[in-house]
């Protein structure tokens, strides 16, 4: 894979390789971060942090253990989730007030991402999950909720949520598997 | 703890693999699970597979990054040192790396942008911003808010039409960087390499003016860009001295580094 080759060169301090890697992954990184964090300015901050971290820590990538793109997106997701959680913790009071006032605390505004083939494909596969599998997976991955919060929101026992998450991911694998 | 309890605890831990792959564990649980992962090859493989599945969910989210982000990142990268290749003795799967505090923030000495003479304020701006973001981990919300405020102040200086950058270097290669706007009377000041002070000593920043006593601008933290306000146009230079904790009313030692402000539009 292109990203793997580039990331290895980046680890050796190759600036040209980093520019190429940037061109390749900045869209996926920024888009994912923005999907989770939502606020554009904060998304940009987190994306910048992640992209710089790729440069600093490229040597930590071990090609024997997965693809570079997965590694990069896993990192981006983790940083985005951490950011959105600390923002939520800070804004908890405002949220409670917003709830009392009857306005939704988080609006699930559809993202204006260009509809690409991949997007359609993921949506199609998500549609094939059961409602609880889908909700469990997407509340966690796209909205950054912990499985405890997911359980609370869906009024499900913790064990059920954990199982739905695993089943959901496994079914996604079967559905999306061929496209990589 | 009985064997049964231990087995039960383990099964319980293992059921966290999917939430972990989705980043849906709280901090403490995450740490506990990672500890478990480090000693459980089978779990690590399971988590690896589940994480690959979770990443597929990211395929649909790609969106073009703002052009300004590219400039900032590529500029910052030019002056950001890399972490050396590390021994891979730790057995955590690669995605777990993302969960640990970023290396730059804790284990390795924090890489600092190396101040070099800048052609433009934009390049310097990217560095300051990069330095700012690099220290944000593990801060309280209050500290983050303070940093955001400072980031805004810094952005304000950088956005001034007459913002210019200069760097001073002492005999030992340590540097002071400044981005200043004479029209705003403000400057962003960064020290590099001066972090070896004993606990009861601080770096104090002074504004030197003709026919006047040095004016204290405040205390400097080696890691943090400092925003100095109220610089008058007649100012000739900035100076840094080592002072007792809390700072002094007037310098009590010779400056460790000094930077002329003429090149950034002062000294009329």
């Amino acid at each position: 894979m292109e990203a793997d080759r580039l990331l290895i060169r980046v680890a050796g301090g190759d600036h040209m390789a980093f520019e190429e890697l940037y061109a390749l992954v900045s869209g996926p990184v920024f888009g994912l971060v923005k999907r989770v964090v939502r606020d554009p300015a904060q998304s940009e901050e987190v994306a910048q942090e992640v992209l710089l971290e790729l440069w600093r820590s490229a040597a930590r990538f071990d090609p024997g253990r997965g693809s570079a793109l997965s590694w990069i997106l896993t990192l981006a997701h983790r940083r985005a989730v951490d950011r959105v959680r600390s923002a939520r913790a800070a804004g908890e009071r405002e949220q409670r007030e917003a709830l009392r006032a009857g306005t939704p605390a988080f609006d699930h505004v559809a993202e204006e991402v260009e509809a690409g083939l991949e997007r359609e494909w993921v949506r199609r596969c998500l549609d094939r999950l059961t409602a609880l599998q889908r909700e469990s997976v997407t509340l966690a991955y796209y909205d950054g909720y912990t499985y405890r919060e997911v359980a609370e929101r869906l009024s499900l026992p913790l064990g059920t949520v954990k199982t739905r998450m695993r089943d959901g991911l496994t079914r996604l694998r079967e559905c999306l598997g061929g496209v990589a | 703890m009985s064997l049964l309890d231990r087995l039960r605890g383990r099964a319980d831990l293992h059921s966290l693999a999917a939430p972990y792959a989705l980043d849906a564990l709280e901090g403490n649980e995450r740490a506990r699970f990672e500890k478990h992962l480090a000693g459980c090859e089978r779990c690590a493989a399971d988590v690896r597979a589940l994480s690959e599945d979770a990443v597929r969910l990211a395929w649909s989210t790609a969106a073009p990054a703002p052009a300004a982000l590219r400039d900032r990142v590529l500029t910052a990268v030019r002056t950001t040192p890399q972490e050396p290749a590390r021994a891979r003795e730790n057995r955590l799967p690669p995605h777990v790396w993302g969960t640990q505090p970023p290396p730059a923030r804790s284990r390795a000495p924090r890489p600092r942008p190396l101040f070099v003479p800048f052609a433009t304020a934009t390049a310097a701006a990217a560095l300051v911003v990069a330095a700012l973001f690099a220290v944000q981990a593990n801060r309280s919300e209050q500290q983050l808010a303070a940093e955001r405020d400072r980031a805004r102040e810094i952005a304000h200086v950088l956005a001034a039409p007459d913002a210019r950058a200069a760097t001073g270097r002492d005999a030992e290669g340590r540097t002071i960087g400044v981005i200043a706007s004479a029209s705003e009377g403000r400057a962003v000041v960064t020290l590099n390499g001066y972090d070896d002070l004993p606990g009861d000593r601080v770096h104090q920043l002074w504004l030197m003016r003709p026919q006047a006593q040095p004016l204290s601008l405040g205390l400097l933290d080696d890691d943090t860009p400092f925003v100095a306000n109220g610089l008058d146009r007649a100012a000739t230079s900035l100076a840094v001295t080592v002072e007792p904790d809390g700072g002094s009313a007037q310098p009590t030692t010779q400056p460790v580094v000094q930077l002329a402000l003429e090149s950034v539009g002062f000294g009329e």
Side-chain angles (χ1 to χ4, degrees):
Chain A
M1 283 279 285
E2 182 72 358
D4 297 71
R5 198 176 53 74
L6 288 171
L7 194 53
I8 291 163
R9 278 170 56 202
V10 167
D14 185 334
H15 288 268
M16 292 295 289
F18 184 79
E19 284 194 31
E20 283 181 56
L21 183 69
Y22 183 94
L24 203 61
V25 306
S26 61
V29 164
F30 179 72
L32 176 59
V33 168
K34 188 153 165 285
R35 180 69 181 83
V36 176
V37 173
R38 284 160 196 262
D39 175 71
Q42 286 201 44
S43 302
E44 218 176 308
E45 274 177 32
V46 174
Q48 169 163 335
E49 203 179 306
V50 170
L51 291 161
L52 273 177
E53 200 170 338
L54 292 185
W55 165 257
R56 283 202 305 262
S57 307
R60 288 177 161 243
F61 169 62
D62 180 351
R65 298 193 156 182
S67 77
L69 202 56
S70 294
W71 188 71
I72 292 166
L73 289 174
T74 303
L75 169 66
H77 188 256
R78 185 60 58 100
R79 296 282 175 263
V81 162
D82 286 347
R83 172 64 68 98
V84 85
R85 286 205 192 132
S86 69
R88 267 175 204 160
E92 244 167 29
R93 193 183 308 145
E94 289 91 300
Q95 272 174 48
R96 277 198 296 274
E97 278 157 16
L99 279 174
R100 237 178 277 131
T103 44
F106 304 109
D107 59 346
H108 288 247
V109 181
E111 299 289 309
E112 69 287 3
V113 183
E114 309 99 83
L117 182 62
E118 282 153 349
R119 184 177 160 81
E120 282 311 308
W121 193 258
V122 170
R123 197 204 315 250
R124 195 182 69 107
C125 290
L126 279 171
D127 280 346
R128 293 188 174 183
L129 306 185
T130 67
L132 286 182
Q133 287 171 348
R134 185 168 52 244
E135 287 283 282
S136 301
V137 164
T138 57
L139 280 172
Y141 196 78
Y142 290 137
D143 298 298
Y145 289 108
T146 66
Y147 78 98
R148 288 176 196 279
E149 291 168 328
V150 171
E152 221 168 278
R153 291 174 80 92
L154 300 178
S155 309
L156 290 175
L158 288 177
T160 309
V161 167
K162 290 189 276 191
T163 315
R164 294 298 171 271
M165 285 177 170
R166 176 180 283 273
D167 296 346
L169 285 175
T170 312
R171 275 174 85 162
L172 270 180
R173 182 191 309 174
E174 287 157 10
C175 180
L176 288 168
V179 189
Chain B
M1 200 192 272
S2 77
L3 181 62
L4 191 64
D5 281 342
R6 274 215 298 275
L7 286 174
R8 198 176 287 141
R10 203 170 266 191
D12 210 47
L13 262 182
H14 194 71
S15 74
L16 294 179
Y20 177 80
L22 288 163
D23 286 329
L25 296 184
E26 281 145 30
N28 290 341
E29 242 172 350
R30 192 193 273 177
R32 234 178 89 226
F33 186 70
E34 281 173 0
K35 220 170 124 194
H36 169 69
L37 268 186
C40 173
E41 205 55 56
R42 191 173 58 86
C43 313
D46 187 30
V47 161
R48 206 142 55 217
L50 288 166
S51 295
E52 292 280 340
D53 298 334
V55 154
R56 294 164 207 261
L57 291 165
W59 291 352
S60 62
T61 59
L69 181 65
R70 181 177 190 275
D71 294 343
R72 285 204 304 275
V73 170
L74 293 186
T75 307
V77 152
R78 275 200 282 281
T79 44
T80 301
Q82 286 182 301
E83 195 193 334
R86 293 168 60 87
R88 297 211 171 94
E89 78 283 358
N90 89 43
R91 298 161 65 211
L92 296 182
H95 40 268
V96 174
W97 157 74
T99 71
Q100 296 165 343
R105 288 168 186 148
S106 51
R107 276 168 294 169
R110 180 179 298 149
R112 296 197 181 81
L114 306 167
F115 260 98
V116 291
F118 297 115
T120 64
T122 326
L127 279 188
V128 173
V129 172
L132 209 60
F133 291 139
V135 297
Q136 279 194 352
N138 308 323
R139 298 285 172 99
S140 72
E141 195 56 26
Q142 201 182 354
Q143 285 168 312
L144 283 176
E147 266 162 31
R148 269 196 294 274
D149 286 351
R150 195 170 50 241
R152 257 194 292 277
E153 282 189 288
I154 290 172
H156 192 76
V157 177
L158 303 182
D162 64 340
R164 282 148 85 178
T167 309
R169 189 177 297 272
D170 71 9
E172 286 164 69
R174 301 175 298 188
T175 57
I176 176 171
V178 63
I179 301 164
S181 158
S183 68
E184 295 271 352
R186 299 215 259 187
V188 181
V189 181
T190 319
L191 283 188
N192 254 277
Y194 290 93
D195 52 354
D196 49 358
L197 281 183
D200 58 345
R201 289 285 183 275
V202 291
H203 283 122
Q204 192 164 1
L205 180 67
W206 306 92
L207 187 67
M208 315 302 274
R209 299 162 298 168
Q211 281 103 42
Q213 298 283 348
L215 173 70
S216 173
L217 294 173
L219 303 180
L220 293 173
D221 176 348
D222 188 66
D223 283 331
T224 317
F226 178 86
V227 183
N229 293 305
L231 310 189
D232 69 55
R233 276 184 174 266
T236 53
S237 64
L238 292 174
V240 177
T241 61
V242 175
E243 301 293 343
D245 202 0
S248 307
Q250 282 297 310
T252 62
T253 59
Q254 287 296 311
V256 289
V257 68
Q258 202 156 355
L259 176 66
L261 290 174
E262 199 186 339
S263 70
V264 291
F266 287 83
E268 280 180 2

